[in-house]
Amino acid sequence: MKPTVFIAHPIPEIGIDRLRKRFEVSVHPEIRPMAPEVMIRKMADCSAVISLLCDRIDAPLLDQCPGLKIIANHAVGYENIDVAAANERGVLVTHTPGVLTHATAEIAFALLITLTRRIIEADRFTRKGLFIGWDPLLLRGDELAGRTIGIIGMGRIGRDMARKCRAFDMTILYHNRHPVDSETEKALDARYVSLDELLARSDALSIHAPATPETRHLIDAAAFAKMKPGAYLINAARGEIVHEAALAEALASGKIKGAGLDVYEFEPKITEALLDMKNVVLLPHIGSATREARDRMSAMAADNVIAALEGRKPPNLVPEMADLSP
Ligand code: DGY
């Protein structure tokens, strides 16, 4: 009998096709998260699962899946999976690093320029028929050139964001758990500073850190108070890093000038107050949503499953498991 693979939501065909050539594959047709009892029913007899960030995979669930060999997350983040519990039960965990770097940095940069040049407001204004002629006072925004971007998290995506901002003649400051090596700093023309200095000096802050207990609410009311007045906030990383009620307050009080968000603290729910603010751009977690990136994610998740079920070491084990022998 062929091993069975459960794909917890629809994903691009490329990965599904690869798996169908080798295994019994079932795809749950809905994007909404499954109730835990449905997850158990669907996964109980599987050898592999391809999961999304909305699928909570924890010890009680894993205990119901004795034949499970691999959880291949269709995302670079994997905070939805209890990796220690998987490790204890001999279940491999993989993710999709490297293939969505450009796409995600592009969306962060798009949020930045959309806010600073008031693109959404301008589009609405034009569609309403309000454009009556070139107007020297109309919809003036903020120029990026010469301003300072503060990057929180200098991994692959943060570095790519730095490159994009550099190309627009911005000054690059960053904060990270550790400074990156000096060659990378030089290549990016980026300078490491403390979080407080980053908050105080950045005209725009862009978050590119993972969701961890340390980064939860890193940007809270106290952080907003330290930000340069009139700065912008961009978050295309994880919603939990920003205290969303404090963000709404900082926007309402005019402490910060605008926010561009692709992710939310209580995703998919969005703090009500943000919905009516003109100086906020809201996207539905589409950082990696290019055809190229999503195809690569699907193919990568499938290749990880294939390797695991054929007895090889999957190429993209999560860092906590990267040292496992094949
Ligand atoms: C990820 O991969 O972690 C993103 O948030 C979805 O692309």
Side-chain angles (χ1 to χ4, degrees):
M1 243 177 50
K2 287 183 187 174
T4 53
V5 179
F6 176 56
I7 304 179
H9 307 272
I11 62 170
E13 279 299 318
I14 181 169
I16 304 178
D17 290 347
R18 273 186 205 183
L19 293 167
R20 282 209 170 113
K21 292 197 176 95
R22 299 164 169 87
F23 312 117
E24 258 339 298
V25 178
S26 68
V27 184
H28 185 66
E30 284 172 28
I31 203 60
R32 273 178 217 287
M34 273 168 273
E37 57 283 7
V38 179
M39 283 276 271
I40 292 176
R41 191 153 27 86
K42 300 271 188 182
M43 282 174 57
D45 301 321
C46 286
S47 307
V49 61
I50 293 189
S51 48
L52 301 190
L53 291 166
C54 61
D55 302 313
R56 176 88 205 121
I57 302 187
D58 53 14
L61 174 59
L62 289 167
D63 285 337
Q64 305 297 318
C65 310
L68 192 65
K69 294 197 165 48
I70 175 168
I71 306 157
N73 224 31
H74 189 280
V76 64
Y78 50 93
E79 67 271 20
N80 55 311
I81 301 168
D82 184 337
V83 174
N87 210 0
E88 277 162 23
R89 290 159 181 78
V91 180
L92 300 171
V93 180
T94 62
H95 64 147
T96 61
V99 293
L100 45 87
T101 305
H102 296 307
T104 309
E106 280 173 12
I107 213 81
F109 192 81
L111 282 169
L112 176 64
I113 204 156
T114 301
L115 272 175
T116 54
R117 297 306 303 272
R118 306 172 62 181
I119 302 292
I120 307 276
E121 274 177 82
D123 177 84
R124 287 190 185 137
F125 174 93
T126 312
R127 283 172 203 275
K128 276 192 197 148
L130 299 173
F131 178 42
I132 51 166
W134 190 78
D135 176 351
L137 300 179
L138 181 64
L139 285 162
R140 287 174 295 169
D142 290 322
E143 202 156 295
L144 292 181
R147 287 205 155 80
T148 297
I149 183 84
I151 295 180
I152 298 185
M154 208 47 146
R156 293 183 200 86
I157 301 171
R159 290 174 203 204
D160 204 46
M161 180 65 171
R163 275 187 285 273
K164 289 171 173 33
C165 291
R166 193 67 202 92
F168 277 70
D169 293 324
M170 298 187 80
T171 299
I172 320 290
L173 299 179
Y174 75 97
H175 183 74
N176 200 40
R177 258 172 314 178
H178 311 288
V180 300
D181 62 87
S182 52
E183 234 163 78
T184 306
E185 272 193 352
K186 207 163 152 207
L188 297 172
D189 201 0
R191 201 158 77 72
Y192 176 87
V193 291
S194 69
L195 182 60
D196 279 0
E197 187 174 347
L198 194 82
L199 295 169
R201 291 187 49 195
S202 301
D203 296 299
L205 207 62
S206 190
I207 302 177
H208 299 283
T212 64
E214 294 73 41
T215 61
R216 187 180 154 69
H217 288 173
L218 187 69
I219 305 301
D220 58 4
F224 284 116
K226 292 176 189 161
M227 275 174 79
K228 188 168 177 172
Y232 296 91
L233 177 77
I234 308 297
N235 189 5
R238 285 295 182 264
E240 304 88 311
I241 298 174
V242 176
H243 191 293
E244 217 165 89
L247 167 64
E249 183 52 45
L251 285 160
S253 69
K255 168 72 197 185
I256 69 166
K257 199 165 185 180
L261 307 175
D262 186 40
V263 291
Y264 305 91
E265 185 174 357
F266 306 106
E267 207 164 307
K269 273 175 50 192
I270 301 177
T271 298
E272 193 84 23
L274 298 175
L275 299 173
D276 292 328
M277 292 179 172
K278 267 206 322 217
N279 52 342
V280 177
V281 178
L282 304 170
L283 303 179
H285 202 152
I286 54 166
S288 61
T290 61
R291 276 184 287 274
E292 294 87 347
R294 290 284 166 87
D295 275 358
R296 289 189 293 247
M297 291 165 78
S298 174
M300 190 177 247
D303 289 346
N304 284 319
V305 167
I306 294 167
L309 297 188
E310 290 181 347
R312 289 175 284 114
K313 180 173 169 173
N316 307 106
L317 285 168
V318 295
E320 295 87 329
M321 289 187 171
D323 297 335
L324 293 182
S325 45

